[in-house]
Amino acid sequence: CHRGREASLQRLEEIVHPLVTEERAGFVRRAGEEGEWLVVVDVPLLLETLRDEAALRAEVDVVLLVSCSAAEQRRRCLARPGMSEPKLETILARQLPDADKRARADFVVDTGLSSGVAETRAQLAPRDRREI
């Protein structure tokens, strides 16, 4: 039964991912045509679906990873309605390890810091046009 679900999920991804990629490319293109110097796209599983560095860089110029410790991630996820340990384990199994994602990212914003939002904002403050 698990293999059947995995095959169904893979088929669904084969249908959905090209459509999402096309929509994202159109969004970025339109923003560029309108003169935007920065376009941010929020892409779950970006690094998992674009494992090859050349393919990744063909899609995005800069990767900003939002991350936290594994313990904090688990705490946050399990606090969501309907989330369970087995569901969380299934989700995590589809993701690259955090260390791998951090290694591929150009910038990492750690949202698991002690003072919360203020520290997160401080991590973003030095980012400006010259760095991007």
Side-chain angles (χ1 to χ4, degrees), residues 14 16 29 34 36 38 56 84 95 101 110 116:
E14 289 169 359
V16 172
R29 180 184 40 75
E34 294 170 7
E36 298 295 338
L38 175 68
L56 174 66
S84 66
Q95 296 181 5
K101 291 188 275 191
D110 188 340

Side-chain angles (χ1 to χ4, degrees), residues 10-123:
Q10 183 176 352
R11 179 67 186 129
L12 180 62
E13 288 174 348
E14 289 169 359
I15 294 167
V16 172
H17 284 188
L19 297 171
V20 171
T21 298
E22 183 179 325
E23 180 61 30
R24 181 176 64 241
F27 170 76
V28 171
R29 180 184 40 75
R30 287 187 302 277
E33 289 169 355
E34 294 170 7
E36 298 295 338
W37 70 271
L38 175 68
V39 181
V40 176
V41 291
D42 181 1
V43 184
L45 301 177
L46 175 71
L47 300 175
E48 289 79 358
T49 57
L50 297 171
R51 290 181 183 253
D52 175 75
E53 194 64 19
L56 174 66
R57 297 309 170 165
E59 290 289 323
V60 298
D61 297 319
V62 176
V63 175
L64 186 146
L65 175 70
V66 177
S67 185
C68 63
S69 70
E72 181 64 13
Q73 180 185 31
R74 181 170 293 284
R75 185 192 68 73
R76 290 175 183 176
C77 288
L78 291 173
R80 294 178 185 157
M83 184 57 70
S84 66
E85 286 279 348
K87 274 185 178 178
L88 178 57
E89 291 306 319
T90 299
I91 291 167
L92 293 175
R94 300 186 57 78
Q95 296 181 5
L96 287 174
D98 190 63
D100 293 354
K101 291 188 275 191
R102 285 174 179 256
R104 291 186 68 197
D106 299 296
F107 302 104
V108 177
V109 176
D110 188 340
T111 63
L113 301 173
S114 59
S115 67
V117 175
E119 266 185 275
T120 299
R121 285 191 176 137
Q123 292 176 74

